[in-house]
């Protein structure tokens, strides 16, 4: 009798965790630590350098729909390895950029190829290995890598930068990203359980017929055309755009805001690190919350606390409120990293999940492109962030209200799984 091999899906989760701990964390979560050092050294304004984040987001958005198709057509581990190499080298080269156009050009390259090493391929792989049972937990653990990577990056770089300069910090991060992404992509990642003769988590391999039925079940859901024809999709997209706008607008300006109200770079880094520490736990907790409470109640709870966190930010001049913001915001921040992939899978199914997720990520990144630039523009115009936080509080209420409306409408149309129907 052939010995049953251990389920490889948890190796995939661990590998995804490590990949998201570097390129995703560095590019999308902790790059803001470079904002003030670079602008002070090279004479750029906050708005000008914030456009770097915007260009990355726009480039990622533009390519996302195509990446959703590419990862279904080609061996995903080679796509991830190639994209990881290009992103890593380009990020390291930022260390020798001196002109704005050089930062902008490299940001285009980073954004284009980041689509092949971050959310879209990781979400696609996790959904293949965990189509239903434990999907929230597996997704949460994988995306927790982003927060751990951000925490470590901010902790190390904020201490190194004053000693060796931001230029060498770019080189160091690019080198580490290169090693991690290439090694994990080529030697750990397996796109589907069938690639190594296994079945998705929770599938019982008792008879051939069961296997066939399971395979059929795994591809149920909406095609892209069917999804785009549904009003639920476009309501959901509005919420996705707003989610990206608010989270990027807040996330990328935390260090700058803390310093603008009188705190030191070390305290600003500590607050940003605290957000990342809480975010490590947040991914698993959010995954469990959405699985146990259902996406309707789960999103309501998340919306209430996220709004409360930005209210605390309004009073961030007081140390207690600054810390309270970091704790609450960090505890629920995972909805921005894993939310789009998890919600898209729950609402629209697996039939063309990669392609639909590519469109969703495109709109999410478009929102993320607007947020940091909006925050930088308001700060440059007013010299403070108060108006920005008030705007974001209102937008958070609208964002989660829109999500709940889309979920309710989806439930009525019976395109959401049973966890919505039975709430």
């Amino acid at each position: 009798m052939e010995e049953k091999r251990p389920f490889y899906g948890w190796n995939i989760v661990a590998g995804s965790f490590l990949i998201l701990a570097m390129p995703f964390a560095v590019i999308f979560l902790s790059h803001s630590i470079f904002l003030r050092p670079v602008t002070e050294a090279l004479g750029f304004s906050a708005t000008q350098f914030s456009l770097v984040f915007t260009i990355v987001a726009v480039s990622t958005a533009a390519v996302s729909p195509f990446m959703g198709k590419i990862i279904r057509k080609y061996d995903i581990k080679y796509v991830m390895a190639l994209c990881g190499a290009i992103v890593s080298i380009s990020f390291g080269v930022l260390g020798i950029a001196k002109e704005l156009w050089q930062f902008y050009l490299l940001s285009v390259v980073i954004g284009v190829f980041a689509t092949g090493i971050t959310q879209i391929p990781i979400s696609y792989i996790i959904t293949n290995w965990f189509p239903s049972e434990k999907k929230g937990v597996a997704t949460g653990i994988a995306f927790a890598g982003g927060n751990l990577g951000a925490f470590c990056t901010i902790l190390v770089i904020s201490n190194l930068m004053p000693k060796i300069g931001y230029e060498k910090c770019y080189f160091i991060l690019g080198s580490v990203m290169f090693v991690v992404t290439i090694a994990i992509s080529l030697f750990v990642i397996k796109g589907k359980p069938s690639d190594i003769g296994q079945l998705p988590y929770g599938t019982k391999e008792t008879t051939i017929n069961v296997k066939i039925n399971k395979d059929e079940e795994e591809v149920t859901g909406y095609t892209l055309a069917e999804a785009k024809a549904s009003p639920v999709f476009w309501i959901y997209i509005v919420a996705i755009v707003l989610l990206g706008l608010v989270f990027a607008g807040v996330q990328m300006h935390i260090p700058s805001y803390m310093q603008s109200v009188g705190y030191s770079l070390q305290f600003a880094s500590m607050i940003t690190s605290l957000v990342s520490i809480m975010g490590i736990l947040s991914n698993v907790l959010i995954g469990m919350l959405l699985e146990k409470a259902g996406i309707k109640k789960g999103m309501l709870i998340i919306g209430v606390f996220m709004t409360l966190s930005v209210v605390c930010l309004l009073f961030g001049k007081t140390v207690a409120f600054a810390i309270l913001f970091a704790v609450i915001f960090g505890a629920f921040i995972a909805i921005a990293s894993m939310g789009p992939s998890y919600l898209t899978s729950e609402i629209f199914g697996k039939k063309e999940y990669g392609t639909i997720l590519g469109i969703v990520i495109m709109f999410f990144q478009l929102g993320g492109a607007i947020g940091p630039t909006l925050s930088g523009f308001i700060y440059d115009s007013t010299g403070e962030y108060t108006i920005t936080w008030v705007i974001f509080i209102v937008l958070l209420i609208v964002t989660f209200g829109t999500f709940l409306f889309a979920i309710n409408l989806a439930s009525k149309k019976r395109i959401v799984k049973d966890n919505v129907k039975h709430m």
Side-chain angles (χ1 to χ4, degrees):
M1 181 175 179
E2 185 178 351
E3 184 179 351
K4 186 176 181 180
R5 291 178 295 171
F7 180 62
Y8 192 79
W10 296 112
N11 298 60
I12 297 295
V13 172
S16 300
F17 178 96
L18 292 174
I19 284 182
L20 289 173
M22 284 314 297
F24 180 76
V26 172
I27 296 168
F28 296 107
L29 300 181
S30 56
H31 194 184
S32 59
I33 198 70
F34 286 89
L35 191 152
R36 189 169 287 265
V38 173
T39 54
E40 289 180 351
L42 300 180
F44 306 149
S45 69
T47 302
Q48 288 174 322
F49 191 75
S50 293
L51 194 56
V52 166
F53 312 139
T54 301
I55 291 172
V56 170
V58 169
S59 301
T60 301
V63 178
S64 290
F66 303 101
M67 187 56 65
K69 297 178 180 179
I70 290 172
I71 61 175
R72 294 176 63 194
K73 185 175 181 180
Y74 300 102
D75 192 326
I76 197 167
K77 68 179 182 181
Y78 295 119
V79 174
M80 292 177 67
L82 175 62
C83 290
I86 295 174
V87 165
S88 302
I89 294 170
S90 300
F91 193 86
V93 173
L94 285 172
I96 62 174
K98 298 299 179 184
E99 304 292 336
L100 270 174
W101 70 266
Q102 295 170 342
F103 278 93
Y104 294 164
L105 179 61
L106 288 167
S107 296
V108 172
V109 177
I110 291 170
V112 166
F113 289 94
T115 57
I117 196 64
T118 53
Q119 289 161 296
I120 294 175
I122 295 299
S123 300
Y124 178 78
I125 294 168
I126 294 293
T127 300
N128 285 341
W129 282 89
F130 299 86
S132 181
E133 190 177 347
K134 297 295 183 182
K135 180 173 64 178
V137 174
T139 304
I141 293 173
F143 277 86
N147 296 98
L148 180 62
F151 167 70
C152 294
T153 299
I154 292 166
L155 182 65
V156 173
I157 296 303
S158 63
N159 284 284
L160 275 180
M161 204 175 296
K163 301 174 184 176
I164 66 174
Y166 75 87
E167 298 93 339
K168 290 182 180 177
C169 290
Y170 272 125
F171 298 151
I172 291 171
L173 289 175
S175 300
V176 175
M177 286 164 57
F178 184 89
V179 173
V180 170
T181 54
I182 296 298
I184 299 298
S185 296
L186 294 180
F187 301 111
V188 178
I189 292 299
K190 309 292 180 184
K192 302 184 298 294
S194 59
D195 291 345
I196 57 171
Q198 292 194 352
L199 293 174
Y201 187 89
T203 301
K204 304 297 182 182
E205 188 176 5
T206 55
T207 65
I208 296 176
N209 289 333
V210 171
K211 291 176 66 176
I212 293 173
N213 290 338
K214 274 294 180 183
D215 288 340
E216 291 173 353
E217 181 183 4
E218 288 172 9
V219 294
T220 59
Y222 275 58
T223 65
L224 177 60
E226 290 169 341
K228 289 167 67 175
S230 168
V232 174
F233 180 78
W234 297 107
I235 295 169
Y236 175 68
I237 288 298
V238 170
I240 285 292
V241 171
L242 292 175
L243 184 70
L245 187 156
V246 174
F247 273 83
V250 174
Q251 179 86 17
M252 291 297 184
H253 282 266
I254 294 173
S256 178
Y257 167 68
M258 291 298 164
Q259 291 175 79
S260 75
V261 295
Y263 296 117
S264 65
L265 173 61
Q266 288 70 29
F267 182 84
S269 298
M270 185 272 287
I271 291 295
T272 310
S273 298
L274 182 55
V275 171
S276 298
I277 293 172
M278 294 302 300
I280 297 170
L281 301 174
S282 172
N283 284 273
V284 179
L285 293 176
I286 292 295
M288 294 176 63
L289 174 63
L290 293 174
E291 278 190 353
K292 301 297 183 182
I295 58 175
K296 184 177 178 181
K297 287 183 181 178
M299 291 299 286
L300 177 60
I301 293 169
I302 294 166
V304 169
F305 279 98
M306 289 311 306
T307 304
L308 178 62
S309 72
V310 182
V311 171
C312 291
L313 199 57
L314 271 176
F315 304 97
K317 291 181 180 180
T318 303
V319 172
F321 278 105
I323 295 174
L324 189 59
F325 154 75
V327 171
I328 300 175
F329 187 77
F332 292 90
I333 196 173
I335 193 60
S337 58
M338 65 172 285
S341 60
Y342 184 87
L343 295 172
T344 301
S345 173
E346 289 292 289
I347 294 174
F348 299 104
K350 284 193 60 190
K351 182 174 287 186
E352 290 191 10
Y353 171 68
T355 306
I356 294 174
L357 180 62
I359 300 293
V360 170
I361 294 298
M362 177 186 74
F363 282 102
F364 180 77
Q365 293 294 349
L366 286 175
I370 298 170
T373 303
L374 176 62
S375 296
F377 174 77
I378 295 175
Y379 175 71
D380 286 339
S381 301
T382 66
E384 60 180 17
Y385 284 91
T386 302
I387 296 175
T388 305
W389 305 150
V390 171
I391 292 172
F392 285 169
I393 288 169
V394 174
L395 288 180
L396 276 169
I397 295 171
V398 175
T399 298
F400 285 91
T402 306
F403 269 124
L404 292 175
F405 180 61
I407 291 167
N408 278 329
L409 186 58
S411 180
K412 292 177 182 178
K413 290 179 174 291
R414 298 183 179 180
I415 63 171
V416 179
K417 290 186 177 182
D418 289 341
N419 67 328
V420 173
K421 294 181 181 179
H422 296 313
M423 285 187 295

